[in-house]
Structure formats: C-alpha cells, structure tokens
Amino acid sequence: MACVLIPVVAAGAVAVVLVLRLWIVCRSQDVTPRESLSLLVVAGSGGHTTEILRLLGSLSSAYSPRHYVIADTDKMSADKINSFELDRADRDPSTMDSRYYIHRIPRSREVQQSWLSTVLTTLHSMWLSFPLIHQVKPDLVLCNGPGTCVPICIAALLLGILGIKKVIIVYVESICRVETLSLSGKILIHLSDYFIVQWPTLKEKYPRSVYLGRIV
Amino acid sequence: TFKSLGFSGLALQIGRTMVLQSSSTESFTLRVYSCKDSLREDTQRAGLVISHAGAASCLESLGKGEPLVIVINKKLMKNHQLQLANQLHKQERLFCSTLPGLLQSMDRSTLKCYPPGQPEKFSAFLSKVVGLQK
C-alpha cells in the first residue's frame, strides 16, 4: 500500500509546486531597469512575419541580439528577415551590435491540419523548443500568433517555473483578428505577461488585453 | 472582361499548382509567375489589386493607397480572413465580394484612404514594461 502511495503523493507534491511556481511566474511583473535586452522573436510564417517585422522596425537597437524562430518549412521568412536586418544596418550604421540569428523549429500546425494531429506535432515542437530557449535564454519573447509560438512560449515559461530565468512574454494578436482571438491567442492570453490586441472589439471582450490602436 | 473595363494588363501570382503561360497582345499584357519574394513592384504599378485577405497583402496594398478587391479563402481555420476583410469593408477601406460582377459595378472613388499604423506606440509601451532606459 505504502509503495503505491509514496509515488502518488510525491507526484502530487511536484504538481502543486509546479502550479504554484507557474502562478508566481505569471504574477511577477516587476520591472528591472536595464540598458539592453536580448530578444527572441517568433516569426512563424507569411503574414505573421510581415506584421512582426513592422513592429520590430520601431524598436531601438537596445533590443539586441535578436533571435528569430521560424518554421522549418518556411522559405520566405528567412529572406524577409535577412533583408529587414540588412536594411536596418544600412539605416543605422552607428550601431555596431547588429547581431541576429535565425533558428528553425518544426511547425506545430500546418494550415488545414486536423486538431488531433496538431496536438502531436505541437508536443514534438515543444520537445525541441525547450533546448532552444534554454540555450538562448532571452530576456523577452515577442510573438504574434503563428502556431509555432505556443511551444516557444511554454518553453519560456518553463525557464521561469524552474527558476532559471524569468522571461517576459509579449504577445501581439494579428491585425487579422477583429472579433475573435486566434487559437494561439486563446492559449497565450493566460500565459503571456502582456497581451496586445489591435481592435477595440477585442479589448472589450478581453479586458486583460492591452489596446494601443493599430500598431502595424 | 478586364480589357473591356479599361485595364491594359494583368500580372498573376499563381503559386505552384497551375500552368499558365505569359502572353501579350497589342493592348493587353498577361504576366504569370509562380511565387515571388515581393509583389511590391507589381502592386505599385497596378491600378487595382485583387488578393486573398491575408494580413500582409492587405496591409501592403492599402498602405500604398492602392484600391483593393479581396476574395476570401474560406478553407483556412474558421475562415478567419473574413474578420479583417469585413472590418476593413465596414470602414470603407476596400471592396469585399465573391461576385465577379463587382468589377463592373464598383466605384473606386468612394473608398477611403487607409492611414498607416503606429508601431512607435508599441515600442514606447514595450520599452516601459521591460524597463529599458532611454
């Protein structure tokens, strides 16, 4: 009897501790002053990449180095990112620190993929996301809703839960989303530190979100 | 049809599924390609852009002040492209339709201009919440 009970109690205790940690990590929003910070951007694919590059264009060079994560089946995002970074370096040659890196992980969901297999592929990319996040240890994760961003954000949370590093997660919902959140949005509104929407209709539905007007 | 509406040419991005040849006559040029890194050059030259309601295409075209007709791709997850399309249509930024008849009936002068977004608001917000010092 005891030999059954001990593992169950132990597992329960671990679960309680993890949930507590998750709660603490999600709650803590204290601002540490800093001069620069490393940024991890989940660029995903297609329109998501275009949108997020528009946002990045407005950020100062204090956001450095920049790490980009793209889906491994995505050919065009890498080109877009490279030309964005080249353009940036041209415009502001004074910033010596224009380091950027592109990482690839498997897509967690292809367009039109079924729900059940989405769960499996998401688990697979989560398995690969954690080593990446652990290696990069970014200060800030910025994403705008390609499926790939869910495993990345969960991995970033895990860093906090394990007490390795508190990563700030900022989610910007795509301009496409006027009335309802995307699937990634519905998950990450609970897990992100700041959740930004671009239409007032969403702000009304989700008071936790931040509305800054149209930013792309 | 396009010719009768006074258009002098048509550039098509067709993806990798079909085979179509570029051709041209005296009054009408048809250019076809499967995939391009950027359509900016083409859309800038065009008098009318026809596209799916992908955010990138919409923003790029409207940002340049080009009149835009979008045809919704209904097969995507929960038909989400329709949200943006409807909203922009409500704001009179674009024509939204499934009917080819629209091409004949629309009056492009009724459309309103689409002001650019304000990413600087985003950067100001972000710098504040991450504690970045000026």
Side-chain angles (χ1 to χ4, degrees):
Chain A
M1 186 67 191
C3 58
V4 180
L5 217 56
I6 290 167
V8 170
V9 170
V14 169
V16 168
V17 169
L18 286 182
V19 169
L20 262 179
R21 283 291 306 168
L22 174 67
W23 189 75
I24 293 169
V25 168
C26 285
R27 276 301 165 102
S28 72
Q29 285 194 347
D30 43 327
V31 184
T32 23
R34 55 184 121 210
E35 298 201 327
S36 73
L37 73 172
S38 63
L39 174 64
L40 186 130
V41 181
V42 188
S45 52
H48 289 294
T49 306
T50 306
E51 271 195 61
I52 209 136
L53 289 181
R54 282 177 179 238
L55 292 177
L56 290 182
S58 71
L59 298 185
S60 74
S61 50
Y63 295 87
S64 176
R66 290 177 291 280
H67 295 267
Y68 295 90
V69 179
I70 61 175
D72 57 0
T73 50
D74 183 7
K75 304 276 182 296
M76 284 176 73
S77 286
D79 295 340
K80 282 189 190 167
I81 290 163
N82 285 326
S83 77
F84 168 81
E85 285 287 347
L86 271 177
D87 192 42
R88 195 187 171 101
D90 276 351
R91 262 185 298 130
D92 194 4
S94 61
T95 51
M96 299 303 288
D97 205 11
S98 57
R99 281 175 298 151
Y100 74 97
Y101 309 88
I102 297 181
H103 310 271
R104 289 161 201 275
I105 63 166
R107 258 195 184 205
S108 60
R109 184 176 181 275
E110 290 288 348
V111 169
Q112 295 181 16
Q113 191 181 324
S114 81
W115 289 96
L116 187 65
S117 67
T118 298
V119 173
L120 292 177
T121 45
T122 302
L123 281 175
H124 178 228
S125 42
M126 206 176 304
W127 180 250
L128 295 163
S129 299
F130 188 73
L132 172 65
I133 291 284
H134 187 262
Q135 176 213 329
V136 172
K137 291 196 190 67
D139 294 307
L140 174 66
V141 169
L142 180 62
C143 57
N144 69 344
T148 312
C149 72
V150 176
I152 291 283
C153 288
I154 292 177
L157 262 182
L158 213 54
L159 274 197
I161 291 173
L162 298 175
I164 300 171
K165 179 168 187 175
K166 159 75 187 170
V167 182
I168 305 171
I169 300 173
V170 175
Y171 183 95
V172 182
E173 186 62 292
S174 163
I175 187 102
C176 295
R177 293 302 179 152
V178 181
E179 281 144 31
T180 58
L181 294 182
S182 63
L183 179 59
S184 311
K186 280 178 189 153
I187 298 170
L188 291 174
I189 193 167
H190 305 290
L191 303 178
S192 55
D193 295 279
Y194 301 97
F195 191 92
I196 301 176
V197 294
Q198 301 197 62
W199 293 100
T201 28
L202 281 180
K203 169 71 189 166
E204 274 166 37
K205 273 190 203 166
Y206 301 94
R208 195 187 173 274
S209 63
V210 177
Y211 172 65
L212 302 166
R214 192 163 62 82
I215 52 178
V216 301
Chain B
T1 332
F2 281 105
K3 212 162 140 186
S4 65
L5 289 165
F7 291 99
S8 62
L10 179 64
L12 287 173
Q13 172 171 270
I14 59 170
R16 295 183 190 85
T17 45
M18 299 187 289
V19 188
L20 249 170
Q21 290 294 316
S22 294
S23 67
S24 82
T25 63
E26 232 170 79
S27 56
F28 199 83
T29 20
L30 177 69
R31 282 178 302 122
V32 181
Y33 35 80
S34 64
C35 216
K36 245 188 171 182
D37 290 347
S38 171
L39 298 172
R40 194 165 291 172
E41 203 182 293
D42 294 289
T43 57
Q44 244 159 16
R45 212 167 28 197
L48 178 70
V49 179
I50 303 179
S51 135
H52 280 316
S57 329
C58 284
L59 294 175
E60 213 165 276
S61 288
L62 292 177
K64 295 279 179 326
E66 295 143 0
L68 178 66
V69 172
I70 53 188
V71 184
I72 306 294
N73 181 353
K74 287 188 171 165
K75 287 186 208 137
L76 291 180
M77 193 192 246
K78 288 200 179 151
N79 200 0
H80 72 256
Q81 290 191 338
L82 202 55
Q83 286 189 18
L84 179 65
N86 277 340
Q87 186 69 21
L88 293 171
H89 176 58
K90 239 187 274 173
Q91 298 184 341
E92 299 172 49
R93 315 285 187 197
L94 49 74
F95 298 117
C96 188
S97 177
T98 50
L99 298 169
L102 174 81
L103 279 176
Q104 260 137 17
S105 64
M106 70 187 183
D107 177 3
R108 279 181 261 164
S109 62
T110 58
L111 288 177
K112 291 176 186 162
C113 202
Y114 191 62
Q118 297 169 298
E120 63 279 3
K121 283 190 179 161
F122 169 72
S123 76
F125 171 82
L126 198 60
S127 298
K128 200 178 78 194
V129 299
V130 299
L132 205 58
Q133 284 162 338
K134 288 265 161 75

